[in-house]
Amino acid sequence: MKAAIYYNNGEPDVLTYKDVADPEVGPNTVLIRVAYAALQGGDLLDRRSKPASSESPNIVGYQAAGVVEALGAKVDNLRLGDRVAGFAFAGSHAELFAVEGEHAYPVPDGLDLSVAAALPIEFGTAHDALFEYGRLKAGETVLVRGAAGGVGIAAVQLAHQAGAKVIAIAATPERLNRIAAFGADYVIDYQTEDVVERVKALTNGRGVDLVLDMVGGDPLFDACAFKARYGLVGAASGMSTKFGFLELLHESLTVFSFMYGKEMGTPRVRACIADLMASASAGELTMPIERSFLLEDAGAAHAFAETARPLGRVLLKIEG
Ligand SMILES: NC(=O)c1ccc[n+]([C@@H]2O[C@H](COP(=O)([O-])OP(=O)(O)OC[C@H]3O[C@@H](n4cnc5c(N)ncnc54)[C@H](OP(=O)(O)O)[C@@H]3O)[C@@H](O)[C@H]2O)c1
């Protein structure tokens, strides 16, 4: 099969387009003939810093959608030709993507594979951060940092639909206008505005009940209300978040984090993803797709995702 692989970490041009061996089909494998792979924030970070093996080709990529090409003997809930989205910790940037049976999610009729390719991680992570861990309730205020990204724009939609007030942080007025149309009540351009000052002004000095932080670096604890919850979801900036006990103590803050990939095969999360797929199929949720590239142009796709300030997702369209 063809794949976009890398041997050394680095800039997008470390990705090369090559013939590699097809993935092996084990007893619990679902082999997907990929139609679309959606570039994840984690794909960009992995290419940059996940140690690359010098012996086997390193195929980056967490998520793709397509049709079932082959099935392991133990997978009994799918058939050849079924439309699925799949998750694995690597391998989506290829014509064939091998995932474990519990990480293949049926795509309902009426939902385009290009949207399904950008759905389970994005909406699932946002859903768990808001509700499973963040305990968001109607009427509360949530601050979404990294709102232009895949997880962020999903969080804006889900929080709005749950009856929360949504404050979204991202760069560029043009993107912020678009984010508002997805359900953000207020938007803040962190490049030109003082985020904490704006949040305090928007909340009558109180602060927000919940923060979803997909960016990392210095935390926005000063934007939090007493007893707020702060979700450390990601570190798209490449900087991890450091903080001390006293920063949490004075306002009785709760900090949480989670590795969504570890739960994506559980019945709870599979049911949640099925519900999210159904909502997307009904047109109630959507993921903006900024641009599609061919697999052979994966390096250009990564460069675009990193530098062009897309909203939502960048796709690889894979013609196997
Ligand atoms: N905990 C989990 O299980 C889990 C699951 C999924 C994803 N994640 C993590 O969550 C983060 C967001 O994921 P995603 O897929 O939504 O990412 P994404 O689509 O790449 O979006 C990241 C957003 O972060 C903002 N950002 C701010 N500073 C940045 C910088 N220096 N470099 C790049 N982006 C920067 C960008 O918006 P602006 O241009 O407006 O700054 C961008 O829209 C990633 O770190 C990812 O690894 C964690």
CSV table of all heavy atoms in Angstrom, one decimal, residues 39-45 121-122 125 145-153 169-172 175 190 213-215 232-239 257-261 305-306 309-310 312-313, ligand 1:
chain,number,residue,atom,x,y,z
A,39,LEU,N,-6.6,15.1,9.9
A,39,LEU,CA,-5.4,15.4,10.7
A,39,LEU,C,-5.8,15.8,12.1
A,39,LEU,O,-6.6,16.8,12.3
A,39,LEU,CB,-4.6,16.5,10.1
A,39,LEU,CG,-4.1,16.3,8.7
A,39,LEU,CD1,-3.0,17.4,8.4
A,39,LEU,CD2,-3.5,14.9,8.5
A,40,GLN,N,-5.3,15.1,13.1
A,40,GLN,CA,-5.5,15.4,14.5
A,40,GLN,C,-4.4,16.3,15.0
A,40,GLN,O,-3.2,16.2,14.5
A,40,GLN,CB,-5.5,14.2,15.3
A,40,GLN,CG,-6.5,13.1,14.9
A,40,GLN,CD,-8.0,13.6,15.0
A,40,GLN,OE1,-8.4,14.1,16.1
A,40,GLN,NE2,-8.8,13.5,14.0
A,41,GLY,N,-4.7,17.2,16.0
A,41,GLY,CA,-3.7,17.9,16.7
A,41,GLY,C,-2.6,17.0,17.1
A,41,GLY,O,-1.4,17.3,17.0
A,42,GLY,N,-2.9,15.8,17.6
A,42,GLY,CA,-1.9,14.8,18.1
A,42,GLY,C,-1.1,14.3,16.9
A,42,GLY,O,0.1,13.9,17.1
A,43,ASP,N,-1.6,14.2,15.7
A,43,ASP,CA,-0.8,13.8,14.6
A,43,ASP,C,0.4,14.7,14.3
A,43,ASP,O,1.5,14.3,14.1
A,43,ASP,CB,-1.6,13.8,13.3
A,43,ASP,CG,-2.8,12.8,13.3
A,43,ASP,OD1,-2.9,12.1,14.3
A,43,ASP,OD2,-3.5,12.7,12.3
A,44,LEU,N,0.1,16.0,14.5
A,44,LEU,CA,1.1,17.0,14.3
A,44,LEU,C,2.2,16.9,15.3
A,44,LEU,O,3.4,17.0,15.1
A,44,LEU,CB,0.5,18.4,14.2
A,44,LEU,CG,-0.7,18.6,13.3
A,44,LEU,CD1,-1.3,20.0,13.5
A,44,LEU,CD2,-0.3,18.4,11.9
A,45,LEU,N,1.7,16.7,16.6
A,45,LEU,CA,2.7,16.6,17.7
A,45,LEU,C,3.5,15.3,17.6
A,45,LEU,O,4.7,15.3,17.8
A,45,LEU,CB,1.9,16.6,19.1
A,45,LEU,CG,1.2,17.9,19.4
A,45,LEU,CD1,0.3,17.7,20.7
A,45,LEU,CD2,2.1,19.1,19.6
A,121,ILE,N,-12.9,11.2,17.7
A,121,ILE,CA,-11.9,11.8,18.7
A,121,ILE,C,-12.4,13.2,19.0
A,121,ILE,O,-12.4,13.6,20.2
A,121,ILE,CB,-10.5,11.8,18.1
A,121,ILE,CG1,-10.0,10.4,18.0
A,121,ILE,CG2,-9.6,12.6,19.1
A,121,ILE,CD1,-8.6,10.3,17.3
A,122,GLU,N,-12.8,14.0,18.0
A,122,GLU,CA,-13.1,15.4,18.2
A,122,GLU,C,-14.3,15.6,19.1
A,122,GLU,O,-14.2,16.2,20.2
A,122,GLU,CB,-13.4,16.1,16.8
A,122,GLU,CG,-12.2,16.2,15.9
A,122,GLU,CD,-11.9,14.9,15.1
A,122,GLU,OE1,-12.4,13.8,15.5
A,122,GLU,OE2,-11.1,15.0,14.2
A,125,THR,N,-13.9,13.4,22.6
A,125,THR,CA,-13.1,14.1,23.6
A,125,THR,C,-13.8,15.3,24.2
A,125,THR,O,-13.8,15.5,25.4
A,125,THR,CB,-11.7,14.5,23.0
A,125,THR,OG1,-11.1,13.4,22.4
A,125,THR,CG2,-10.8,15.2,24.0
A,145,ARG,N,-10.6,27.0,25.3
A,145,ARG,CA,-9.3,27.6,24.8
A,145,ARG,C,-8.8,26.6,23.7
A,145,ARG,O,-8.6,25.4,24.0
A,145,ARG,CB,-8.3,27.6,25.9
A,145,ARG,CG,-7.0,28.3,25.6
A,145,ARG,CD,-6.1,28.1,26.8
A,145,ARG,NE,-5.1,29.2,26.9
A,145,ARG,CZ,-4.1,29.1,27.7
A,145,ARG,NH1,-3.9,28.1,28.5
A,145,ARG,NH2,-3.2,30.1,27.7
A,146,GLY,N,-8.6,27.1,22.5
A,146,GLY,CA,-8.3,26.3,21.3
A,146,GLY,C,-9.5,26.0,20.6
A,146,GLY,O,-9.7,24.9,20.0
A,147,ALA,N,-10.5,27.0,20.6
A,147,ALA,CA,-11.8,26.7,20.0
A,147,ALA,C,-11.8,26.6,18.5
A,147,ALA,O,-12.8,26.1,18.0
A,147,ALA,CB,-12.7,27.9,20.4
A,148,ALA,N,-10.8,26.9,17.8
A,148,ALA,CA,-10.8,26.8,16.4
A,148,ALA,C,-10.3,25.4,15.9
A,148,ALA,O,-10.5,25.0,14.8
A,148,ALA,CB,-9.8,27.8,15.7
A,149,GLY,N,-9.8,24.6,16.9
A,149,GLY,CA,-9.3,23.2,16.6
A,149,GLY,C,-10.5,22.2,16.5
A,149,GLY,O,-11.6,22.6,16.8
A,150,GLY,N,-10.2,21.0,16.2
A,150,GLY,CA,-11.2,20.0,16.0
A,150,GLY,C,-11.9,19.7,17.3
A,150,GLY,O,-13.2,19.7,17.4
A,151,VAL,N,-11.2,19.5,18.4
A,151,VAL,CA,-11.8,19.3,19.7
A,151,VAL,C,-12.6,20.6,20.2
A,151,VAL,O,-13.7,20.5,20.7
A,151,VAL,CB,-10.8,18.9,20.8
A,151,VAL,CG1,-11.4,18.7,22.1
A,151,VAL,CG2,-10.1,17.6,20.4
A,152,GLY,N,-11.9,21.7,19.9
A,152,GLY,CA,-12.5,23.0,20.4
A,152,GLY,C,-13.9,23.3,19.7
A,152,GLY,O,-14.8,23.7,20.4
A,153,ILE,N,-13.9,23.2,18.4
A,153,ILE,CA,-15.2,23.5,17.7
A,153,ILE,C,-16.3,22.5,18.0
A,153,ILE,O,-17.5,22.8,18.0
A,153,ILE,CB,-14.9,23.7,16.2
A,153,ILE,CG1,-16.1,24.5,15.5
A,153,ILE,CG2,-14.8,22.3,15.5
A,153,ILE,CD1,-16.1,25.9,15.9
A,169,ILE,N,-12.0,31.0,22.8
A,169,ILE,CA,-10.8,31.7,22.6
A,169,ILE,C,-10.1,31.2,21.4
A,169,ILE,O,-9.9,29.9,21.3
A,169,ILE,CB,-9.8,31.5,23.8
A,169,ILE,CG1,-10.5,31.9,25.1
A,169,ILE,CG2,-8.6,32.4,23.6
A,169,ILE,CD1,-9.6,31.5,26.3
A,170,ALA,N,-9.7,32.0,20.5
A,170,ALA,CA,-8.9,31.6,19.3
A,170,ALA,C,-8.3,32.8,18.7
A,170,ALA,O,-8.4,34.0,19.2
A,170,ALA,CB,-9.8,30.9,18.3
A,171,ALA,N,-7.5,32.6,17.6
A,171,ALA,CA,-6.9,33.7,16.9
A,171,ALA,C,-7.6,34.1,15.7
A,171,ALA,O,-8.2,33.2,15.0
A,171,ALA,CB,-5.4,33.4,16.6
A,172,THR,N,-7.6,35.3,15.3
A,172,THR,CA,-8.1,36.0,14.1
A,172,THR,C,-9.6,36.3,14.2
A,172,THR,O,-10.4,35.4,14.4
A,172,THR,CB,-7.8,35.3,12.8
A,172,THR,OG1,-8.7,34.3,12.5
A,172,THR,CG2,-6.3,34.8,12.7
A,175,ARG,N,-11.9,33.9,12.0
A,175,ARG,CA,-12.3,32.6,12.6
A,175,ARG,C,-13.2,32.8,13.7
A,175,ARG,O,-14.1,32.0,13.9
A,175,ARG,CB,-11.0,31.9,13.0
A,175,ARG,CG,-10.3,31.2,11.8
A,175,ARG,CD,-9.3,30.2,12.3
A,175,ARG,NE,-8.4,30.7,13.3
A,175,ARG,CZ,-7.6,29.9,13.9
A,175,ARG,NH1,-7.6,28.6,13.7
A,175,ARG,NH2,-6.7,30.4,14.8
A,190,TYR,N,-7.1,36.0,21.5
A,190,TYR,CA,-6.0,36.0,22.5
A,190,TYR,C,-4.8,36.8,22.0
A,190,TYR,O,-4.0,37.2,22.8
A,190,TYR,CB,-5.6,34.6,23.0
A,190,TYR,CG,-4.9,33.8,21.9
A,190,TYR,CD1,-3.5,33.9,21.8
A,190,TYR,CD2,-5.6,33.0,21.1
A,190,TYR,CE1,-2.9,33.1,20.8
A,190,TYR,CE2,-5.0,32.2,20.1
A,190,TYR,CZ,-3.6,32.3,20.0
A,190,TYR,OH,-3.0,31.5,19.0
A,213,ASP,N,-9.1,23.4,28.2
A,213,ASP,CA,-7.8,23.9,27.7
A,213,ASP,C,-7.1,22.9,26.8
A,213,ASP,O,-6.6,21.9,27.2
A,213,ASP,CB,-6.9,24.3,28.9
A,213,ASP,CG,-5.7,25.1,28.5
A,213,ASP,OD1,-5.4,25.1,27.3
A,213,ASP,OD2,-5.1,25.7,29.3
A,214,MET,N,-7.2,23.2,25.5
A,214,MET,CA,-6.6,22.4,24.5
A,214,MET,C,-5.2,22.9,24.1
A,214,MET,O,-4.5,22.3,23.2
A,214,MET,CB,-7.4,22.3,23.2
A,214,MET,CG,-8.5,21.2,23.2
A,214,MET,SD,-9.8,21.5,24.5
A,214,MET,CE,-10.8,22.7,23.7
A,215,VAL,N,-4.8,24.0,24.6
A,215,VAL,CA,-3.6,24.7,24.2
A,215,VAL,C,-2.3,24.5,25.0
A,215,VAL,O,-1.2,24.3,24.6
A,215,VAL,CB,-3.8,26.2,24.0
A,215,VAL,CG1,-2.6,27.0,23.7
A,215,VAL,CG2,-4.9,26.4,22.9
A,232,LEU,N,-7.4,20.0,31.6
A,232,LEU,CA,-6.2,20.0,30.8
A,232,LEU,C,-6.3,18.9,29.8
A,232,LEU,O,-6.0,17.8,30.0
A,232,LEU,CB,-5.0,19.7,31.7
A,232,LEU,CG,-4.7,20.8,32.8
A,232,LEU,CD1,-3.6,20.3,33.8
A,232,LEU,CD2,-4.3,22.1,32.2
A,233,VAL,N,-6.9,19.3,28.6
A,233,VAL,CA,-7.2,18.4,27.6
A,233,VAL,C,-6.0,18.1,26.6
A,233,VAL,O,-5.8,17.0,26.2
A,233,VAL,CB,-8.4,18.8,26.8
A,233,VAL,CG1,-8.8,17.8,25.7
A,233,VAL,CG2,-9.6,19.1,27.8
A,234,GLY,N,-5.3,19.2,26.3
A,234,GLY,CA,-4.2,19.0,25.3
A,234,GLY,C,-3.2,20.1,25.5
A,234,GLY,O,-3.3,21.0,26.4
A,235,ALA,N,-2.2,20.0,24.7
A,235,ALA,CA,-1.1,21.0,24.7
A,235,ALA,C,-0.6,21.3,23.3
A,235,ALA,O,0.5,21.1,22.9
A,235,ALA,CB,0.1,20.4,25.5
A,236,ALA,N,-1.6,21.8,22.5
A,236,ALA,CA,-1.4,22.1,21.1
A,236,ALA,C,-0.2,23.1,20.9
A,236,ALA,O,0.5,23.1,19.9
A,236,ALA,CB,-2.6,22.7,20.4
A,237,SER,N,0.1,23.9,21.9
A,237,SER,CA,1.2,24.9,21.8
A,237,SER,C,2.5,24.2,21.9
A,237,SER,O,3.6,24.8,21.7
A,237,SER,CB,1.1,25.9,22.9
A,237,SER,OG,1.2,25.3,24.2
A,238,GLY,N,2.5,22.9,22.3
A,238,GLY,CA,3.8,22.2,22.6
A,238,GLY,C,4.3,22.4,24.0
A,238,GLY,O,5.3,21.8,24.3
A,239,MET,N,3.6,23.2,24.8
A,239,MET,CA,4.1,23.5,26.1
A,239,MET,C,3.1,22.9,27.1
A,239,MET,O,1.9,23.1,27.1
A,239,MET,CB,4.1,25.0,26.4
A,239,MET,CG,5.3,25.7,25.6
A,239,MET,SD,5.3,27.4,25.9
A,239,MET,CE,3.9,28.0,25.0
A,257,SER,N,-7.6,15.8,34.0
A,257,SER,CA,-7.1,15.4,32.7
A,257,SER,C,-7.5,14.0,32.4
A,257,SER,O,-7.9,13.3,33.3
A,257,SER,CB,-5.6,15.6,32.6
A,257,SER,OG,-5.2,15.5,31.3
A,258,PHE,N,-7.4,13.6,31.1
A,258,PHE,CA,-7.8,12.2,30.8
A,258,PHE,C,-7.2,11.9,29.4
A,258,PHE,O,-6.9,12.7,28.6
A,258,PHE,CB,-9.3,12.0,30.8
A,258,PHE,CG,-10.0,12.9,29.7
A,258,PHE,CD1,-10.4,12.4,28.5
A,258,PHE,CD2,-10.2,14.3,30.0
A,258,PHE,CE1,-11.0,13.2,27.6
A,258,PHE,CE2,-10.8,15.1,29.1
A,258,PHE,CZ,-11.2,14.5,27.8
A,259,MET,N,-7.0,10.6,29.2
A,259,MET,CA,-6.5,10.1,27.9
A,259,MET,C,-7.6,9.4,27.2
A,259,MET,O,-8.0,8.2,27.5
A,259,MET,CB,-5.3,9.1,28.2
A,259,MET,CG,-4.8,8.4,26.9
A,259,MET,SD,-4.1,9.5,25.7
A,259,MET,CE,-2.4,9.6,26.2
A,260,TYR,N,-8.3,10.1,26.3
A,260,TYR,CA,-9.5,9.6,25.7
A,260,TYR,C,-9.3,8.3,25.0
A,260,TYR,O,-10.1,7.4,25.0
A,260,TYR,CB,-10.1,10.7,24.8
A,260,TYR,CG,-11.4,10.3,24.2
A,260,TYR,CD1,-12.5,10.1,25.1
A,260,TYR,CD2,-11.6,10.2,22.8
A,260,TYR,CE1,-13.8,9.8,24.6
A,260,TYR,CE2,-12.9,9.9,22.3
A,260,TYR,CZ,-14.0,9.7,23.2
A,260,TYR,OH,-15.2,9.4,22.7
A,261,GLY,N,-8.1,8.2,24.3
A,261,GLY,CA,-7.8,7.0,23.6
A,261,GLY,C,-7.9,5.7,24.4
A,261,GLY,O,-8.2,4.6,23.9
A,305,ALA,N,-2.1,22.7,8.1
A,305,ALA,CA,-2.7,22.6,9.5
A,305,ALA,C,-2.0,23.4,10.5
A,305,ALA,O,-2.6,24.0,11.4
A,305,ALA,CB,-2.9,21.1,9.9
A,306,GLU,N,-0.7,23.4,10.4
A,306,GLU,CA,0.2,24.1,11.4
A,306,GLU,C,0.2,25.6,11.2
A,306,GLU,O,0.4,26.3,12.2
A,306,GLU,CB,1.6,23.5,11.4
A,306,GLU,CG,1.7,22.2,12.0
A,306,GLU,CD,3.1,21.6,12.1
A,306,GLU,OE1,4.0,22.3,11.6
A,306,GLU,OE2,3.3,20.6,12.8
A,309,ARG,N,-3.8,28.5,10.0
A,309,ARG,CA,-4.9,28.7,10.9
A,309,ARG,C,-6.3,28.2,10.4
A,309,ARG,O,-7.2,29.0,10.2
A,309,ARG,CB,-5.0,30.2,11.3
A,309,ARG,CG,-3.8,30.7,12.0
A,309,ARG,CD,-4.1,31.9,12.9
A,309,ARG,NE,-3.0,32.5,13.5
A,309,ARG,CZ,-2.5,32.1,14.7
A,309,ARG,NH1,-3.0,31.1,15.3
A,309,ARG,NH2,-1.5,32.7,15.3
A,310,PRO,N,-6.4,26.9,10.1
A,310,PRO,CA,-7.7,26.4,9.7
A,310,PRO,C,-8.7,26.4,10.8
A,310,PRO,O,-8.3,26.5,12.0
A,310,PRO,CB,-7.3,24.9,9.3
A,310,PRO,CG,-6.1,24.6,10.1
A,310,PRO,CD,-5.3,25.9,10.3
A,312,GLY,N,-11.5,23.9,12.4
A,312,GLY,CA,-12.0,22.5,12.3
A,312,GLY,C,-10.9,21.6,11.8
A,312,GLY,O,-9.8,21.5,12.4
A,313,ARG,N,-11.1,20.9,10.7
A,313,ARG,CA,-10.2,19.9,10.3
A,313,ARG,C,-9.6,20.1,8.9
A,313,ARG,O,-10.3,20.7,8.0
A,313,ARG,CB,-10.9,18.5,10.3
A,313,ARG,CG,-11.0,17.9,11.7
A,313,ARG,CD,-9.6,17.5,12.1
A,313,ARG,NE,-9.5,17.0,13.5
A,313,ARG,CZ,-8.9,17.6,14.5
A,313,ARG,NH1,-8.3,18.7,14.4
A,313,ARG,NH2,-8.9,17.0,15.7
B,1,LIG,N1,-6.7,14.3,26.3
B,1,LIG,C1,-7.0,13.6,25.2
B,1,LIG,O1,-7.4,12.4,25.3
B,1,LIG,C2,-7.0,14.3,23.9
B,1,LIG,C3,-7.8,13.9,22.9
B,1,LIG,C4,-7.7,14.6,21.6
B,1,LIG,C5,-6.9,15.7,21.5
B,1,LIG,N2,-6.0,16.0,22.5
B,1,LIG,C6,-5.1,17.1,22.4
B,1,LIG,O2,-5.9,18.3,22.4
B,1,LIG,C7,-5.2,19.3,21.7
B,1,LIG,C8,-6.1,19.9,20.7
B,1,LIG,O3,-6.4,18.9,19.7
B,1,LIG,P1,-7.1,19.3,18.3
B,1,LIG,O4,-7.1,18.0,17.5
B,1,LIG,O5,-8.3,20.0,18.5
B,1,LIG,O6,-5.9,20.2,17.7
B,1,LIG,P2,-6.0,21.2,16.5
B,1,LIG,O7,-7.2,20.9,15.7
B,1,LIG,O8,-4.6,21.3,15.9
B,1,LIG,O9,-6.3,22.6,17.3
B,1,LIG,C9,-5.4,23.2,18.2
B,1,LIG,C10,-5.7,24.6,18.4
B,1,LIG,O10,-4.8,25.1,19.3
B,1,LIG,C11,-4.5,26.5,19.1
B,1,LIG,N3,-3.1,26.8,19.3
B,1,LIG,C12,-2.7,27.7,20.2
B,1,LIG,N4,-1.4,27.8,20.2
B,1,LIG,C13,-0.9,26.9,19.3
B,1,LIG,C14,0.4,26.6,18.9
B,1,LIG,N5,1.5,27.2,19.3
B,1,LIG,N6,0.4,25.6,17.9
B,1,LIG,C15,-0.7,25.0,17.5
B,1,LIG,N7,-1.9,25.3,17.8
B,1,LIG,C16,-2.0,26.3,18.8
B,1,LIG,C17,-4.8,26.7,17.6
B,1,LIG,O11,-5.7,27.8,17.5
B,1,LIG,P3,-5.3,29.2,17.2
B,1,LIG,O12,-4.7,29.2,15.8
B,1,LIG,O13,-6.5,30.0,17.4
B,1,LIG,O14,-4.2,29.5,18.3
B,1,LIG,C18,-5.5,25.4,17.1
B,1,LIG,O15,-6.8,25.7,16.5
B,1,LIG,C19,-3.9,18.6,21.1
B,1,LIG,O16,-2.8,18.9,21.9
B,1,LIG,C20,-4.3,17.2,21.2
B,1,LIG,O17,-3.1,16.4,21.2
B,1,LIG,C21,-6.1,15.4,23.7
